[in-house]
Amino acid sequence: MAETAVGCSMPKHLGDLVEGVVSPSACAFITKQTEFGAMRSDTPETREARVRLYGTIFAADGTLAESGSSAPIGGRANIENNLCTLLGAFPTFRFTPVKIVVNGDVVFYEAANEAVIHGRMVRYPAVYRVVLENGEVTQGRRYHDRTEWFRPLENVGLRELFAGIGDDCPRPGPAFTGPGLTAPVTDPMGHLAYLGRLSGAMTEVRLAPDQAAGKFQEYRGTVRAKGRTIDFGMVVGTGPGVLRYYFDTLPLSYDDAETAALFTKLITGAAPPAR
């Protein structure tokens, strides 16, 4: 259960979802992030309001990075433009909080994301890790598998880094889950196979522990994949009987030109939101 600062007015329904000592700065972020996740953006007016709220989460010179991508997006205006493009591709995007852990000025916000993309509902988990100063995000990182965005567009052609990995031999006891899996896996051999695929997709791995809070540990650095060196990171979450990985398989399966082509298809070919 979280210990909240005097005057903190976080949404009461969050309750036991929040852990740690919640400062006024963390309270401001959690409140706005939760409001943003629930907003609609399927008209120009609601989309503008949502982008404007998102901008207020960040410091004027704040940064935002994906878990595996090119250089971070710098500055509130550029972050707002990025979100505007994203919501234009799938305006039904929203999320609900799963677990929020605070450690001083660092917050890990675990969420269940969903969006209608090309007429099909897509659901995927995410962790948003932020560093705060005076109630604003100075450094934000999104840990989720963007490959899921392209599933409705690519159908059977989508490259699946972890295709075929599952619970061939289910057993009681600890489980793990991560990108590319449809359910937790309890078979230790499945876990070894998963980690083997991940390590086989990259070389020159230089990852080191970064921020941490409660059950979440972030690792950040660079790896070499698909012929180029990229910034990369992951979050590992521990919980009762389960280990969770959060990272992006997209840059491990597609090079920069292929990724750009996928995004062009996403932005120009997405279907209107389901009513």
Side-chain angles (χ1 to χ4, degrees):
M1 183 70 178
E3 178 183 336
T4 57
V6 175
C8 178
S9 57
M10 281 191 310
K12 292 182 179 180
H13 72 274
L14 293 179
D16 291 339
L17 297 183
V18 184
E19 293 182 0
V21 179
V22 181
S23 66
S25 188
C27 181
F29 165 72
I30 294 168
T31 300
K32 288 183 178 181
Q33 178 81 348
T34 303
E35 181 182 354
F36 167 76
M39 291 178 75
R40 297 187 63 87
S41 47
D42 51 0
T43 68
E45 294 75 20
T46 57
R47 186 154 55 248
E48 180 181 353
R50 197 175 189 191
V51 169
R52 188 163 55 247
L53 172 64
Y54 195 66
T56 67
I57 293 176
F58 288 84
D61 58 351
T63 62
L64 176 63
E66 298 289 352
S67 61
S69 67
S70 55
I73 304 164
R76 181 185 295 143
N78 291 327
I79 291 170
E80 289 180 349
N81 289 336
N82 174 265
L83 176 64
C84 192
T85 300
L86 178 69
L87 293 180
F90 33 95
T92 55
F93 168 74
R94 60 179 56 193
F95 59 78
T96 55
V98 174
K99 196 68 179 179
I100 304 165
V101 184
V102 183
N103 180 18
D105 290 326
V106 175
V107 180
F108 286 76
Y109 191 112
E110 182 182 19
N113 291 12
E114 67 175 42
V116 175
I117 302 175
H118 207 64
R120 177 176 162 187
M121 178 61 75
V122 175
R123 294 183 172 90
Y124 57 98
V127 169
Y128 303 97
R129 196 282 284 147
V130 301
V131 175
L132 303 165
E133 184 176 332
N134 298 322
E136 297 179 324
V137 173
T138 58
Q139 183 194 74
R141 290 174 179 163
R142 298 188 288 217
Y143 289 90
H144 57 110
D145 188 10
R146 292 178 297 165
T147 301
E148 295 297 327
W149 295 352
F150 305 101
R151 195 171 300 281
L153 299 173
E154 293 299 292
N155 296 316
V156 296
L158 192 68
R159 294 176 191 166
E160 303 274 8
L161 183 59
F162 302 109
I165 293 180
D167 240 341
D168 294 330
C169 185
R171 62 188 67 191
F176 83 98
T177 188
L181 301 177
T182 57
V185 175
T186 60
D187 183 359
M189 296 305 295
H191 201 166
L192 288 174
Y194 188 89
L195 295 178
R197 295 267 188 95
L198 177 60
S199 63
M202 57 179 76
T203 59
E204 299 178 22
V205 178
R206 295 181 175 88
L207 300 179
D210 199 335
Q211 302 293 341
K215 71 173 189 175
F216 294 112
Q217 174 65 63
E218 176 187 35
Y219 297 89
R220 194 75 187 183
T222 61
V223 303
R224 188 160 182 80
K226 303 299 290 185
R228 83 286 201 215
T229 299
I230 57 171
D231 291 332
F232 192 76
M234 69 168 59
V235 168
V236 179
T238 56
V242 65
L243 182 70
R244 301 180 184 275
Y245 298 107
Y246 301 87
F247 59 90
D248 190 6
T249 67
L250 187 66
L252 305 180
S253 301
Y254 294 86
D255 64 25
D256 292 341
E258 292 171 324
T259 298
L262 284 174
F263 272 98
T264 297
K265 189 174 182 180
L266 175 71
I267 293 169
T268 61
R275 298 289 183 178

